[in-house]
Structures are given as structure tokens and as C-alpha cells.
Amino acid sequence: MLELKQLYQGFRDPQTIASLAQDIAKVARTLKEPINIMEVCGGHTHTIMKYGLLDLLPDNIEFIHGPGCPVCIMPKERIDQAAVLAQQEDVILVTLGDMIRVPGSKGSLASFRAKGCDIRPIYDPLDTLKIARDNPHKTVVFFAIGFETSTPMTAVLLQLAEQQKLANVFFHINHVLVPPAIDAVMHDPNARVNAFIGPAHVSVISGAKIYRPAVEQYGTPVVVSGFEPVDVMESILRIMRQKAAGKAELDIQYSRAVSEQGNLAAQAKVEQFFQIRPQFRWRGLGPIPNSALQLKPEYAHRDAELRFKNCLPVKEIDDHKACQCGDILRGLAKPKDCKVFGRGCNPETPLGSCMVSSEGACNAYYRYQGIDSKEQHHG
Ligand code: SF4
Ligand code: SF4
């Protein structure tokens, strides 16, 4: 059995990080073109900023922070829908962690909670079952978010609700998929990405295989990386070596947790309950076909979007005029390019979603670089 400690032991060693930095610099000197690496996942953005890895890297490597945080990519209209659900009589809205602070067009779920709506932030989705059992005369809606990582847990929750015949549990599904987001980034006419650091948690479930089409279609190396600083530096080195050799391959640096095939049991569980949603609008990236999931018709009786169809707003709502989350999520701007970064917008009073979650690029820059500290020298 893998112990938590094994996942990071030795992966924060400063000497190892310094020696990897030297190796990266050596290979970087052989490259003719600068390289733009997108770390898709917000967890990697966090590591890069927290450990100051940008300062250890040569100038011809630039990082583009990708759309890999499920909180950051949630469009306002979905948050508005959650707020409307919470305002319905006898509804309890249950949601995970940071979601409660993301601003919708009329305020965050936290602000609706302050006005008296029954909104309950939880850390374990299975708590939904207890809430439903304790409140048999209320409708409990689970606002489900997350990438491939968290979908299996929603599937298990649904399965248990069915088995326990808890007819008062409903789902508002916002589960999204990484590969279509990579496609959207690469199809942007301004795309500048020429290598990817692949997400870790997502890949534990889905397997690294989901990135193979991107490697083949775009000729970009994808290295699936662990979250520790040594992991990220080693992944960068592996990308650099591929680039220097003129190769584009799928590589798993995080082999202590990720395999090519992933967790087949979890994938089967997801397939049992979910199907591809024809279209989902991502904050920043816009509508992306086949980029999200929805419940299968057999589970329509659990679907909050159908149950509350008549009252849910569907109008698309854009971000605050000053907010550049969209450009940041597409890799076209850095947090400090935003005029309100750290001033009008900070983690206490976020204007945009990238400032809310600890995995959001703006939040990571704010926490680890401050407002006026030196600019990122690679961007
Ligand atoms: S859930 Fe894991 S893989 Fe997905 S964005 Fe968060 S840290 Fe990255
Ligand atoms: S600093 Fe705030 S307003 Fe600016 S892009 Fe980031 S989240 Fe949006």
C-alpha cells in the first residue's frame, strides 16, 4: 500500500532541484527556439510559484498557465444557476470547497448563503447522503464540479443515493474533461504552446493515454508530472530533452502514481452514469464541444437541470470588464497584466475566478510574488 509520505519524500530536496536546473540550462543552450510550456493543471502552477521555480530556469523557457482548475473555468451562468437552485423553497445546495466564493453575476454562493439560502460547503461529497437523510422533506442538490479526477466520486455518490433509495438527492453536473480543453488551447489562432506538463490527479484516474492524440496531432511533448518541485523540474528536463532531440512523445514522469491505462474501475464507474455533453461553455475558453459530462438518460430523475428546468437561467454571462481571466486561461496573458490584480481583485474580494482557488494562476501569483514584487522574467 502506497503511503502518502512516499509521494513526496525526497521530492523537495534543494540540491536535487539545483542540479536539475543546471541540466535544464545545459539542454536549453542547445535549443534554437524558445520554448513555451503549458502546465495544464493549477496544482502545478501552485508548485511553480510556491518554490520559485521560474527563477531557476533559463530565459528561453516560458510557462503558460493553463485552464486546469475546475473552479477557475466555471462560467458565471453556472454559478448563477446554483444560486437560483439555492433560492428555491426547501432546497439545500451542497457544494465543494472554494466554489462557494466564486463570483457569479449576482454574487457568490457565499453571499447568497449570508442572505439566508441553505448552502452547505462540504469536503467529502458523501456527506450529501447524510444531509439528505437528515432532511427527508427537502431537496438536496449536489453542485458537482471537477475534472476526470472527481467524476468517479460523483458517480459513487449517485450510485449510493440510488441504492439507499434517497429520492431527494439531485445533481447539477459540471464535470469537465481535459483533452478537449487542450484542443481548444491549440486551436486558438494565437496559441503559443509547444509542450505540456500533463496533470497528475486527472491522469491517475484517466491514465496518460488521454494525451496521446494531442501528442500525435500537435507534435507537442506531454510529460505527466507529479506535484513536487523535483517532479516539475524533472518533467521540464524531460521536455527539453525531447525538444533537443526533435521528438514529441508522451512520457510519464509521475510513474509512482500514474499508468498509461489509469484506474479502469473508476473509468467504468463514470461510464455507467455519465455521457458526453454536446457542449459546455468554459470561462475564458468559450464553448467547447464534447468537453463535459452529463447524466445518462437512465438517471434523468436525479438531474437538477431537468427538475428545475423552468427556473434555471441560461443566458451566457461574460466576466467583469477588467478581468483578464479569459486570456490567462488561454495562455495569452499573465496575472500581473491585469490592471486590477492585487488592487481591486485579491483573494479576499476576488473579481474573477482565477483569484479564488489556490490553484488559480492569479491567486498563486498573489500569494507567492505579491503585488509589486519583481515581474516574472519569462513572461
Ligand atoms: S484536481 Fe488535481 S489534476 Fe485537476 S486541476 Fe486540481 S490539482 Fe490539477
Ligand atoms: S487579477 Fe482578478 S480580475 Fe484580474 S484576471 Fe485575475 S482574477 Fe481576473
Side-chain angles (χ1 to χ4, degrees), residues 130-143:
K130 182 173 184 325
I131 296 172
R133 268 193 304 271
D134 291 348
N135 297 277
H137 303 300
K138 299 216 168 176
T139 300
V140 178
V141 181
F142 179 62
F143 187 70

Side-chain angles (χ1 to χ4, degrees), residues 295-311:
L295 293 176
K296 283 191 165 169
E298 301 93 284
Y299 302 100
H301 57 286
R302 298 276 177 191
D303 193 338
E305 286 183 75
L306 297 176
R307 162 82 173 73
F308 295 95
K309 194 162 88 208
N310 294 337
C311 59

Side-chain angles (χ1 to χ4, degrees), residues 322-325 328 335 338-342 345 350-355 362:
C323 178
Q324 281 191 265
C325 279
I328 290 168
C338 174
K339 287 195 180 62
V340 291
F341 172 83
C345 179
L351 274 185
S353 51
C354 297
M355 191 56 99
C362 296

Side-chain angles (χ1 to χ4, degrees), residues 40-44 67-70 146-150 178 198-203 211 227 359:
V40 180
C41 164
H44 290 134
C69 167
F147 285 91
E148 287 87 338
T149 330
S150 28
V178 168
H201 295 151
V202 162
S203 312
Y211 312 112
F227 281 122
E359 292 178 5

